[in-house]
Amino acid sequence: MSQPAPSDVPAPPGRSAPRHGRAGQRGRWPGRARSAVLVVAALLTVGAGTVAADTDDEAGEPATLRAAAEPRPTAARPSPTPTPTCTPAPVEQQAAAVLVVGLPGVTRPDDPLATEVTGLGVGGFFLSESNVVSTRQVTALTQGLRAQAGRPVVVATDEESGRVALMRELVGAGPSPRRMAARETQAEVRARAAETGTVLAQVGIDVDLAPVLDLDDGPAGGVIGDRSFSADPTTAAEYGLAYATGLADAGVTPTVKHFPGHGRSTVDSHTASSLVEATLDDLTASDLVPFQRAIDAGAPVVMMNHLEYAVLDPDLPASLSPRAYALLRDLGFRGVAITDSVGMGAVNTRWDFPEAAVMAVAAGADAVLATDGAQAVRMRDALVDAVASGRLPEERLAEAAARVTALAGGDPRAMSCRDLALPSLVRPDPTGSPTSAVPQP
């Protein structure tokens, strides 16, 4: 091949003439075309975020390069998604946390049923007569359950005094609430409850499902009967609060029951439910008065009954009724709403344990009580499935789990990323000072 001819374009002043070969070919480009190429190159360089000036061409096209090198506005970049500051516990853990279960016949923490439910992560345990042998044995049982759980848990019982006294073997026999109100002052009832609470606390029980605030002056052996302090709303409220305050004095959390009032029914919900025909005005003027007083005083736990109410949900027990829980919250209650045992006939003859658990939490329950802990796995799984299907809002389960965790003395934020504090029962100074009040520990 022949060599290309030297360029005929004279070199600009101050620059050497182009050489032969490929370098010489650059010198053949017309000046205007070469300038265009340089502009494109400069623009491409600017687009990459850097302007690299060609010192060989700097004298030839200074204006073009300067224009291309002018800074250009950059597009706004989206802000990075903030890193979550809190990760809630898995749904499985939240579902287990709302369950408070009994351990029928269990007297040792290494019993297979005790090991199963502690491993499941239930929120609490319910102890009855079948769990009691002696003070030392119950203490070892509660300590062992807490050690196996490895986290704060509720340990509850049902010690009303009188005929419903599941810890009678430890605390001794006591008068019925009706007899207390008839023969003792409120201060004496408070002192009696404090003695009971002290024994409960010493063996590791921290929640008592008492006192009864239902109104009843019927036969002593009736469904409520002498478990009620009085049929008079004011008397029932004052004596019920005296008993609750005594428990709190001893460091035991009281539970007022059975909302919205069981005294109008003569049907035992352990076997069946019944319909209460009272209007809302009737309930507000009587049955709800003691509960409103307790809520105003800071009662931390309220138990729901299994009766049906025509003015609420006539086809659903209060424990499974959204309107019953709405009524409770409308009274200002911000604590833990717990069902009566869902193994009772009023519920269990219509809904199995898993279904009852889902219905209760969806309706507004925070804790579901089941005296048969063997049902805990099925109940937990049903709650998880209900969240997955959308039947149970995840936020509702998280709220319930947070409240039960707080009741147990745990961190509700670690469970559900919620900062909350339960109501604290205000306890007037027993000396009668009108300005002295002691918050619940």
Side-chain angles (χ1 to χ4, degrees), residues 7-225:
S7 173
D8 296 328
V9 180
R15 297 181 62 179
S16 61
R19 295 173 293 175
H20 296 291
R22 292 186 182 273
Q25 289 177 4
R26 286 202 304 267
R28 297 181 185 208
W29 295 353
R32 187 173 299 172
R34 188 166 181 230
S35 296
V37 172
L38 286 171
V39 170
V40 170
L43 289 173
L44 289 173
T45 304
V46 171
T50 305
V51 176
D54 185 345
T55 56
D56 288 341
D57 297 334
E58 192 174 26
E61 294 81 23
T64 303
L65 286 175
R66 283 198 301 271
E70 288 293 329
R72 300 188 175 198
T74 57
R77 297 181 180 178
S79 300
T81 303
T83 302
T85 58
C86 178
T87 301
V91 171
E92 292 82 0
Q93 189 174 335
Q94 293 182 355
V98 304
L99 304 178
V100 177
V101 300
L103 303 170
V106 172
T107 57
R108 295 170 54 90
D110 58 358
D111 183 279
L113 179 58
T115 301
E116 176 181 295
V117 295
T118 53
L120 188 68
V122 297
F125 307 95
F126 174 78
L127 302 187
S128 66
E129 302 103 323
S130 70
N131 305 117
V132 178
V133 175
S134 66
T135 297
R136 177 177 295 181
Q137 168 268 326
V138 174
T139 303
L141 175 60
T142 59
Q143 289 177 345
L145 291 173
R146 288 190 166 97
Q148 287 181 178
R151 66 193 185 286
V153 291
V154 170
V155 180
T157 193
D158 197 348
E159 182 60 42
E160 298 174 5
S161 191
R163 58 190 166 107
V164 177
L166 304 189
M167 293 293 118
R168 182 183 289 111
E169 187 70 25
L170 305 183
V171 303
S176 68
R178 179 182 290 179
R179 180 168 294 184
M180 288 185 213
R183 300 184 177 182
E184 299 178 356
T185 66
Q186 293 172 38
E188 289 170 334
V189 170
R190 176 175 174 175
R192 178 186 293 280
E195 292 176 1
T196 295
T198 297
V199 176
L200 297 180
Q202 287 173 344
V203 298
I205 294 171
D206 55 4
V207 174
D208 188 10
L209 303 181
V212 168
L213 295 188
D214 304 322
L215 308 179
D216 194 352
D217 60 358
V223 176
I224 298 299

